[in-house]
Amino acid sequence: MKENGLESVRVAAEITASELPSGWRWALFTGLEEFLRLFEGLPVTVYALPEGTVFRNRGRNGVPVPVVRIEGRYSDFLIYETPALGFLCHSSGISTMAARYRIRAMDASMLSFGIRRAHPAIAPMIDRAAYIGGMDAVSSLAGARAIGREPQGTMPHSEVLLFREPRKAFEAYARATGKGRKIALIDTMYDEKREALIAAETVPDLYGVRLDTPRSRRGNFAQIISEVRWELDIHGFSHIKIFVSGGIKEEDVSLLRSAGADGFGIGTAISNAPAVDFALDLVEIDGQAYTKRGKFSGRKDVYRCPECLSYDVVPMGGANPVCADCAVREEMVLKKYIENGKRTENWEVSETREWVLDQLRTLQRRGDQ
């Protein structure tokens, strides 16, 4: 750029998603923390949706919703475009998938089990995004450190196999776990009902049992869960929870909940979630609205209805819109997070997660899944 006299050109760039994966009606915006760390110290100003925002890819008028706006000299940040998009695309896909599971089972316990399906180097990102999206806990040590919580998991099949008998394995698991929450795996060697009762009889303070039966062997999974619930209840173990894992699909959740599942371990569906296809485009050059074909030029204000979470995108400085469906004044949602290289705002991961859950309750009430 320097050789062509463009080093001092100032621009406004926006990050948008023309489409969302798999026909999603909404997505969850995450990855902002890593994004901002990349831009801290650069002579730019960054506006963005708050991390954890439920967003639509387009406003009512069809204009793509900017999730980020960067203002400054293009020469100061152009080399960061690729990693910046990577932070947002990957994290937002994972957190959205977690949120889609959460919205189908709002009161169920949900654990992130996805790190064994991804490269270990990104385990903290996967678990952090999953937690923000609504998972109650994560299974990796690095991921737990990233969110400031204790890791949670259950015993493996290999433990039962090494002892060659479920009862001995459950006894050893109980000793090793101490006062921690105990969830026994009950589908290694015998019928699930039988192993559930063995676990309940062997571990006095058993919290729950987990079914991880592969799809190729489980038959009617809902029926198996119902049978285990019945046997536990009729033998005086109604307090013991039932957790399920192993290829649980979105559409499975409601059926398995009604069959008696109290919690879910979700792995591959989260860690291998489709990325949100964000792109960065210049929309203003040296103060003039200017962009490439197929895009909308000029800086924009982004408004969201607090009741239905729909969006309106207007030219910067335009009138504050009223939601056409809810007849309420919409709220401007882009916030300044970096001003001339200096961070202006921080947040806690746990607070972000709680805000996400509030938004998901709104979507659930409106049937917007």
Side-chain angles (χ1 to χ4, degrees):
M1 295 189 70
K2 184 176 182 180
E3 291 79 2
N4 294 289
L6 299 175
E7 185 179 21
S8 298
V9 173
R10 299 188 67 81
V11 304
E14 292 178 346
I15 294 177
T16 60
S18 296
E19 297 180 352
L20 295 178
S22 305
W24 293 348
R25 293 169 52 85
W26 51 268
L28 204 62
F29 176 65
T30 59
L32 182 62
E33 178 63 43
E34 296 93 332
F35 180 97
L36 294 178
R37 291 183 185 181
L38 185 66
F39 283 85
E40 277 188 278
L42 301 178
V44 299
T45 296
V46 176
Y47 297 82
L49 299 181
E51 184 152 58
T53 299
V54 168
F55 75 97
R56 319 281 182 173
N57 64 306
R58 293 182 183 270
R60 293 177 185 274
N61 56 359
V63 179
V65 172
V67 298
V68 173
R69 185 173 71 243
I70 307 167
E71 299 175 358
R73 295 190 308 179
Y74 189 47
S75 60
D76 288 326
F77 68 89
L78 68 90
I79 64 171
Y80 299 106
E81 177 177 345
T82 295
L85 290 174
F87 286 142
L88 301 180
C89 294
H90 201 171
S91 178
S92 294
I94 290 170
S95 58
T96 301
M97 186 58 75
R100 291 180 65 84
Y101 274 88
R102 170 54 66 191
I103 203 171
R104 291 174 180 268
M106 288 298 293
D107 59 343
S109 177
M110 303 193 78
L111 308 179
S112 174
F113 280 179
I115 58 167
R116 66 174 58 190
R117 298 293 183 263
H119 194 289
I122 61 172
M125 181 279 292
I126 291 173
D127 276 346
R128 181 181 185 276
Y131 178 70
I132 290 175
M135 296 293 107
D136 292 299
V138 303
S139 58
S140 76
L141 299 178
R145 285 194 296 269
I147 63 174
R149 297 176 65 87
E150 290 294 321
Q152 290 189 24
T154 68
M155 63 188 300
H157 287 108
S158 57
E159 182 175 353
V160 180
L161 293 174
L162 287 171
F163 280 96
R164 305 190 182 206
E165 205 282 315
R167 190 178 300 275
K168 293 179 181 179
F170 296 148
E171 291 171 348
Y173 172 66
R175 290 193 299 270
T177 309
K179 295 182 179 180
R181 191 171 78 167
K182 300 174 180 63
I183 301 176
L185 188 57
I186 60 164
D187 58 3
T188 307
M189 301 181 73
Y190 306 149
D191 175 82
E192 293 87 352
K193 301 190 301 293
R194 180 59 186 146
E195 285 198 26
L197 292 177
I198 292 173
E201 294 164 355
T202 303
V203 184
D205 55 345
L206 186 66
Y207 178 80
V209 295
R210 178 165 71 99
L211 294 161
D212 191 50
T213 307
R215 299 188 75 87
S216 61
R217 295 293 303 276
R218 68 177 54 155
N220 186 328
F221 201 25
Q223 179 66 28
I224 295 173
I225 294 168
S226 296
E227 292 175 6
V228 172
R229 181 73 276 160
W230 177 273
E231 293 300 324
L232 287 172
D233 290 350
I234 204 169
H235 286 88
F237 300 114
S238 59
H239 61 284
I240 293 178
K241 308 293 185 182
I242 297 177
F243 290 77
V244 296
S245 59
I248 306 299
K249 298 180 180 180
E250 272 187 76
E251 56 269 26
D252 295 337
V253 173
S254 297
L255 174 62
L256 300 184
R257 282 288 286 144
S258 63
D262 300 294
F264 298 84
I266 309 298
T268 304
I270 290 178
S271 60
N272 290 7
V276 176
D277 190 12
F278 289 119
L280 183 148
D281 296 287
L282 303 185
V283 296
E284 185 178 286
I285 299 176
D286 280 337
Q288 298 295 314
Y290 200 75
T291 193
K292 71 178 185 181
R293 60 195 295 247
K295 301 293 180 176
F296 293 77
S297 65
R299 289 181 292 171
K300 305 167 188 70
D301 288 331
V302 181
Y303 290 90
R304 187 176 79 160
C305 174
E307 294 190 9
C308 68
L309 307 187
S310 61
Y311 280 75
D312 276 300
V313 181
V314 301
M316 180 172 284
N320 186 337
V322 173
C323 177
D325 292 331
C326 305
V328 299
R329 187 72 63 182
E330 296 181 354
E331 301 170 344
M332 187 178 291
V333 287
L334 284 181
K335 299 177 64 175
K336 184 186 293 184
Y337 285 96
I338 292 179
E339 184 170 14
N340 196 27
K342 295 183 178 180
R343 185 82 171 256
T344 59
E345 191 160 344
N346 295 281
W347 60 90
E348 295 292 332
V349 173
S350 58
E351 294 175 357
T352 299
R353 179 180 178 276
E354 289 304 315
W355 183 52
V356 168
L357 295 179
D358 286 342
Q359 295 172 91
L360 296 183
R361 293 185 189 101
T362 298
L363 293 174
Q364 187 184 51
R365 286 196 300 270
R366 300 186 65 86
D368 193 358
Q369 300 181 20

